């Protein structure tokens, strides 16, 4: 979503989530492009739609409005198609210590956003790009207090298999499984090959998702450029499915061409029994 908004000229300094309210047709068009490319799951434009991140734009009082709009746009675009809507929820962007210092209740922040996404029609919740297990645990607990619906828990994890705190990904997945998270996975940071190699180390009992970036970015005149071509991305997607990954998508730098290549490459595959 962010890649396409930037490509269309939305400034990096603008609140992407507010576009759901100010220019809903722009978001609808992006959803249509991804559905047309073969996406079976689309994500709401709500990654930074929590009160902490929205406060930077003076929008902390509009969490409900923005997230309901994000979900409603996606749901209307997917209606009548074999496509599911995932409510995108990112981390708060502050540490636990900072939250305590500022008197921020992190569980309340996640509860507010998730509630609005579900009210807007999101059929599952996608916690993505988390790098702190405690924060994911808080977010998952808030989600379960609302309802026991489908939840994807995805971490930004380096190629060495550890999150920034040093906690091994395999230990994280085991803990999340004990907390009844249905799908666990990784997104961001790694390129497709790195993601495939990372997931080879995961035990067979996990239901996995994988949303790699389109390579590692290079700064070209102030713009981040990603170099993984759709065909190469699709080949890595086949390898991920061979390792048992059930949900494959694209992170930073990907666009509908990458998704179309993935859909063509894995559409008729059967995931290996893990």
């Amino acid at each position: 979503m962010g890649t396409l908004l930037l490509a269309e000229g939305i400034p990096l300094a603008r609140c992407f989530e507010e576009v759901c309210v100010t220019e809903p047709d722009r978001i609808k068009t992006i959803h249509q492009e991804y559905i047309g490319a073969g996406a079976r799951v689309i994500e709401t434009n709500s990654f930074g739609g929590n009160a902490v991140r929205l406060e930077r734009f003076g929008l902390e009082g509009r969490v409900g409005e923005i997230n309901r709009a994000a979900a409603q746009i996606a749901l209307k675009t997917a209606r009548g198609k074999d496509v599911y809507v995932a409510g995108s929820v990112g981390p708060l962007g502050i540490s636990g210590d900072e939250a305590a210092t500022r008197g921020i209740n992190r569980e309340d922040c996640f509860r507010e956003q998730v509630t609005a996404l579900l009210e807007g029609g999101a059929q599952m919740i996608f916690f993505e790009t988390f790098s702190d297990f405690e924060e994911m645990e808080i977010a998952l607990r808030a989600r379960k207090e609302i309802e026991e619906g489908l939840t994807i828990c995805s971490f930004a994890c380096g190629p060495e298999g550890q999150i920034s705190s040093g906690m091994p990904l395999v230990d994280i997945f085991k803990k999340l499984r004990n907390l009844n998270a249905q799908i666990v996975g990784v997104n961001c940071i790694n390129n497709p090959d790195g993601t495939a190699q990372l997931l080879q180390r995961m035990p067979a009992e996990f239901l996995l998702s994988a949303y790699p970036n389109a390579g590692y970015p290079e700064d070209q005149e102030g713009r981040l450029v990603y170099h993984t071509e759709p065909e190469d991305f699709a080949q890595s997607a086949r390898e991920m499915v061979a390792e048992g990954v059930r949900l494959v998508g694209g992170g930073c730098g990907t666009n509908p061409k990458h998704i179309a290549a993935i859909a063509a490459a894995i559409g008729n595959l059967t995931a290996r029994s893990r």
Side-chain angles (χ1 to χ4, degrees), residues 189-200:
I189 295 184
N190 296 298
N191 66 6
D193 288 343
T195 299
Q197 293 171 20
L198 178 63
L199 294 176
Q200 287 174 0

Side-chain angles (χ1 to χ4, degrees), residues 31-47:
H31 286 320
Q32 288 173 331
E33 290 180 18
Y34 278 110
I35 291 173
R40 297 287 307 283
V41 177
I42 58 173
E43 290 189 58
T44 56
N45 177 37
S46 57
F47 175 80

Side-chain angles (χ1 to χ4, degrees), residues 35 44 48 75 82-83 108 140 154 168 175 180 232 236 238:
I35 291 173
T44 56
L75 189 65
D82 189 17
V83 174
D108 285 347
L140 184 58
S154 182
K175 288 179 178 292
N180 297 319
D232 297 329
S236 294
R238 291 179 67 91

Side-chain angles (χ1 to χ4, degrees), residues 8-220:
E8 291 187 4
I10 298 292
L12 186 59
R14 183 175 173 185
C15 177
F16 286 0
E17 292 76 19
E18 190 189 18
V19 179
C20 293
V21 178
T22 58
E23 300 179 73
D25 286 345
R26 187 191 289 268
I27 304 301
K28 179 181 178 181
T29 297
I30 291 175
H31 286 320
Q32 288 173 331
E33 290 180 18
Y34 278 110
I35 291 173
R40 297 287 307 283
V41 177
I42 58 173
E43 290 189 58
T44 56
N45 177 37
S46 57
F47 175 80
N50 60 71
V52 177
R53 287 182 180 270
L54 290 178
E55 185 181 12
R56 303 169 187 173
F57 305 97
L59 301 172
E60 65 273 16
R62 298 175 62 188
V63 173
E65 174 194 5
I66 289 172
N67 284 277
R68 279 191 294 271
Q72 289 166 355
I73 294 167
L75 189 65
K76 288 178 182 177
T77 311
R79 187 164 293 148
K81 306 174 181 68
D82 189 17
V83 174
Y84 298 89
V85 173
S88 173
V89 178
L92 301 182
I94 57 174
S95 67
D97 289 342
E98 184 179 351
T101 300
R102 294 171 58 182
I104 294 172
N105 186 312
R106 291 187 287 173
E107 189 167 338
D108 285 347
C109 290
F110 287 118
R111 186 184 299 108
E112 181 182 27
Q113 183 180 11
V114 170
T115 296
L117 287 168
L118 294 173
E119 288 175 350
Q123 296 155 315
M124 64 188 83
I125 297 297
F126 198 148
F127 293 120
E128 57 181 330
T129 325
F130 279 61
S131 59
D132 175 40
F133 175 75
E134 181 188 21
E135 186 176 32
M136 179 67 83
E137 192 175 20
I138 291 170
L140 184 58
R141 183 167 63 243
R143 193 268 189 275
K144 288 180 176 296
E145 287 179 2
I146 301 167
E147 65 167 35
E148 289 282 349
L150 180 60
T151 308
I152 303 162
C153 297
S154 182
F155 283 83
C157 177
E160 73 285 349
Q162 297 178 336
I163 61 172
S164 57
S165 68
M167 190 174 182
L169 192 63
V170 64
D171 291 346
I172 290 173
F173 286 177
K174 288 178 180 177
K175 288 179 178 292
L176 288 173
R177 192 164 183 261
N178 291 334
L179 293 172
N180 297 319
Q182 296 98 331
I183 301 174
V184 295
V186 293
N187 72 284
C188 202
I189 295 184
N190 296 298
N191 66 6
D193 288 343
T195 299
Q197 293 171 20
L198 178 63
L199 294 176
Q200 287 174 0
R201 312 173 198 166
M202 295 301 111
E205 67 264 25
F206 299 132
L207 283 173
L208 297 172
S209 69
Y211 280 60
N213 289 349
Y216 300 105
E218 292 183 5
D219 190 323
Q220 294 185 1

Side-chain angles (χ1 to χ4, degrees), residues 238 240-246 265-274:
R238 291 179 67 91
M240 293 179 215
V241 172
E243 289 300 324
V245 173
R246 299 298 197 271
I266 72 174
N268 296 321
L269 295 182
T270 301
R272 178 176 65 84
S273 178
R274 289 175 58 88

